[in-house]
Structure formats: C-alpha cells, structure tokens
Amino acid sequence: MNGEQKYMQYREKLPGEISVRHKITKELEQKRFHVHTQMEIVFIKSGSMNCQYENGILHIPGGSIVLFNTMNLHYNFSDPDGDVCDRYVVYFSAGYISGLTAMGVNFLERFLPGADNCPILITVPQKDLEYVSTLLDRMSEYYRQVSKGQDRRLHIQFLLGEYLLFVHELCQEQLRGLRIPQKYSHVISRICNYIDSHYEEEIRIDELCRLFYIGRTQLYQLFRQVSGMAVGEYIVEFRLTKAKNFLINTDWSVEIISQRSGYDNISSFSRAFKGKTGLSPLQYRKKYT
C-alpha cells in the first residue's frame, strides 16, 4: 500500500461532518495522543474522565462540558478506581454549521486556538443538566436515524445550533477572563478554518489578506489579540500538531509526514519539528507509541 492509499485509509477512520455518540463505558477507547479534523464537544453526564494534553492533565467531572479544537493534541483516560463514564461526544466541522447564525454570536469562538493549547472546561448548572441530556438524546437518536437512511440532517443541524448557543452562553458566564473581542472573532475563525483546510499547501500572508479583505498589519494585530499567537506561528503550530498526530497514529515515513504537514522537504520539516519539541520526528514517535 503506497502513502496515498494509507492516507485515504486513515482519513476514512475519522468522523465525517457531524457525529453524535452516547457512550457508557468504564474504559475509554483512545489510548494515544490524537487530534481531530473537526471540533469536539464532550458532555459528562455522570462519572468522570481525565484528559492528558501536551502541557498537563485536565480532570473532567460529571456535569461538565469540555471543548477540543483542531489543535488540541490529547487523549482521555479513566480514573483507575472511577465509576462508569456516561458521556455524549459530538464532532462537527466548521462547514456543517456555516449556515447557522445568531446576532452577535460566533459559534466557533471558543474553538479558536490559544497560546497554552488547553481544552476548555465549563460546568453545566444543576438546573440545566436534564435539558442538556434531553437535547443530546434527541441529537443522537436523529443521528442513528440518518445512519439508517432517514433524512434528519436538518433536525441535527438545528439541535447542534441550540447546543452551541447554550455552550456559548455558559462560556460567557464562566470564562469572563477569557473574553474574545466579538467583532474580531468571526474573521479570525474564518482565517483559522482556511488554514486548517489548506495547511498541506503553501499559505502566504498576502493571500490571506486578499481572501479575507484585511490589511497585513491589522491581520497581525487581530490574530495575536484573539489567539495569543502570531498568524505565522499558528500555521507552524498547526502543521506540527498534524505531524505529531501522524507520527503517533500512522506508520508513514517521515518523508510522507513532512509532505502531508505542508513542508517542501524533509530537512526543513525535521529542523522545525526538533526546534519545537526538542526531539527528532523518529524520537518523538518512539516516545509516544
């Protein structure tokens, strides 16, 4: 099997534009660091789980929601002596909700990158627990109906919009210190989505400015204000995060991974990778697999 075939096989294992699952297990299935090409929302109905991300461990108790963006390299694991974890897992692409709008609300605001690259944890108030569970039960049931050939896509889309609006309002209440300037987050979200979709290609700052009708100086200032990092730094971080995921979860050669991560040659990729992680790509693979 050549590199292209392996790549397509790997892509087929990932969720599509939308996935809604209700899982009740004691052991969590993913044991390795990974990222997704979609946003991920996990609601812990009961029990608990832990999330290992690159810079630490996040404990996620029952009644909590955790948000993962496309740069959150992570894996979740159970408490050794913990109870069964009852959870709802939703994956969705930015394109899936592109037609959903609400005045003054950017549904993707809390999925923007952050300097510490830590998943976002919020607590669902006791009075809202039944509401969230019922909403997600309806979503998961419609998702099962779609898998059986019934057209429930519009139902799922509207319920996802309701869920994201609820999450957005909770974030506004609980993460006041992390508020993002509303008038800027929309354009930065669109730029991040473009980078996420084109990271294998050459991405020029001038081209971003042209596509999103924004001046170079304004782009630099707004991107750093919203995300905490420079736009060029985000492109490098995103590519290297994808490379880490490929190193851990595929058996591709370093050369193929460098190409799939947007680098013209293996030498520049290896220098960038070691400069960021302190390890060569093969050393990183050996450490985390």
Side-chain angles (χ1 to χ4, degrees), residues 104 109 180-188 222 225-226:
E109 179 179 308
I180 297 171
Q182 191 65 238
K183 62 180 179 179
Y184 302 144
S185 69
H186 281 282
V187 66
I188 300 304
L222 294 186
Q225 182 178 355
V226 170

Side-chain angles (χ1 to χ4, degrees), residues 35 54-55 70-73 113-117 195-196 199 223 229-245 261 263 272-273 275-277:
V35 292
E54 284 194 279
N55 299 320
T70 54
M71 281 183 64
N72 291 139
L73 193 69
D116 62 354
N117 216 17
I195 293 169
D196 294 2
Y199 69 93
F223 204 96
M229 65 179 80
V231 61
E233 184 183 358
Y234 175 77
I235 294 171
V236 171
E237 285 278 358
F238 191 87
R239 285 172 168 162
L240 293 182
T241 298
K242 288 294 185 182
K244 292 172 185 176
N245 188 48
S261 303
Y263 284 86
F273 193 92
K276 191 67 180 177
T277 66

Side-chain angles (χ1 to χ4, degrees), residues 272-288:
F273 193 92
K274 188 164 187 177
K276 191 67 180 177
T277 66
L279 300 170
S280 72
L282 290 180
Q283 288 172 332
Y284 187 91
R285 170 175 274 167
K286 184 177 180 180
K287 181 177 180 180
Y288 290 106

Side-chain angles (χ1 to χ4, degrees), residues 128-178:
D128 294 319
L129 289 173
E130 184 176 350
Y131 161 75
V132 175
S133 296
T134 301
L135 188 152
L136 290 168
D137 276 333
R138 291 174 64 198
M139 283 182 66
S140 59
E141 176 56 31
Y142 284 139
Y143 185 76
R144 283 192 294 272
Q145 292 175 15
V146 168
S147 67
K148 295 177 181 177
Q150 299 183 48
D151 189 357
R152 300 295 189 190
R153 290 171 294 180
L154 191 60
H155 299 74
I156 297 171
Q157 198 171 43
F158 279 120
L159 287 173
L160 177 59
E162 183 178 348
Y163 188 32
L164 290 173
L165 185 59
F166 173 79
V167 168
H168 174 84
E169 291 171 347
L170 271 190
C171 287
Q172 294 294 90
E173 294 172 8
Q174 297 180 20
L175 306 176
R176 296 185 183 278
L178 298 176

